[in-house]
Amino acid sequence: MMGKSPRPCRLMVLLALILLALTLPGCSQPPAEAVAAGDAAASLQEIPGSDVKRIVLTERAVGNIGLQTSTTSTDPKSRKLTVPYLAILYDSQGKTWVYTNPEPRVYVRQPVTVARIDGEVAQLSGGPAPGTTVVTLGAEELFGAELDTAN
């Protein structure tokens, strides 16, 4: 199909994996009371003047999620900022974001403005500077951790 986005397929795969994990007895999550407060996979830190939070993951959480990253760059022809399309995250209001990785195990959601999607590359008219590390796999899990969807 022409112009079809890979996002719906990714979403279906993610939903299938979640359903599979819920049906396998060995993959079920421990009860909330079984997880000690000190064993949290992620901690959230307020960013003054922002609704966005810094997410700090444990080393084990980074491995469990299977986070992968890439960097922003500038397209030599259009001179527009680019990121892999997989880095783009859409919220429930349709706003577009990426998670930056400013230091090891630290992730911060940053707004981006998508100008155009060209295959696997998103051209941006606004976003993080060229060379910024962005999450390409695992952003949905970070978003859930930031918004604390478990509670």
Side-chain angles (χ1 to χ4, degrees):
M1 284 186 171
M2 212 164 86
K4 187 173 179 185
S5 151
R7 279 282 184 203
C9 184
R10 256 180 90 191
L11 182 58
M12 293 302 293
V13 170
L14 180 62
L15 289 174
L17 289 172
I18 291 170
L19 288 173
L20 180 62
L22 292 174
T23 59
L24 295 173
C27 294
S28 62
Q29 296 292 323
E33 61 272 4
V35 178
D39 292 341
S43 64
L44 302 177
Q45 300 171 349
E46 298 289 329
I47 298 175
S50 173
D51 292 335
V52 174
K53 295 181 174 78
R54 273 172 57 100
I55 303 168
V56 181
L57 296 180
T58 63
E59 195 169 318
R60 183 174 180 187
V62 171
N64 285 345
I65 293 173
L67 287 171
Q68 293 180 13
T69 61
S70 184
T71 56
T72 59
S73 60
T74 304
D75 182 272
K77 293 179 186 175
S78 68
R79 300 203 188 272
K80 287 203 181 274
L81 180 66
T82 63
V83 295
Y85 179 63
L86 291 175
I88 303 295
L89 180 69
Y90 296 86
D91 70 13
S92 62
Q93 285 78 43
K95 293 180 183 174
T96 49
W97 305 85
V98 294
Y99 272 96
T100 62
N101 182 209
E103 53 190 278
R105 299 185 297 116
V106 175
Y107 304 89
V108 179
R109 186 166 44 107
Q110 183 171 342
V112 295
T113 304
V114 177
R116 176 183 171 157
I117 298 170
D118 188 13
E120 295 180 11
V121 176
Q123 291 185 355
L124 308 178
S125 58
T132 301
T133 302
V134 294
V135 174
T136 56
L137 183 63
E140 292 88 354
E141 288 83 353
L142 294 173
F143 194 53
E146 181 183 353
L147 299 181
D148 198 19
T149 58
N151 292 330

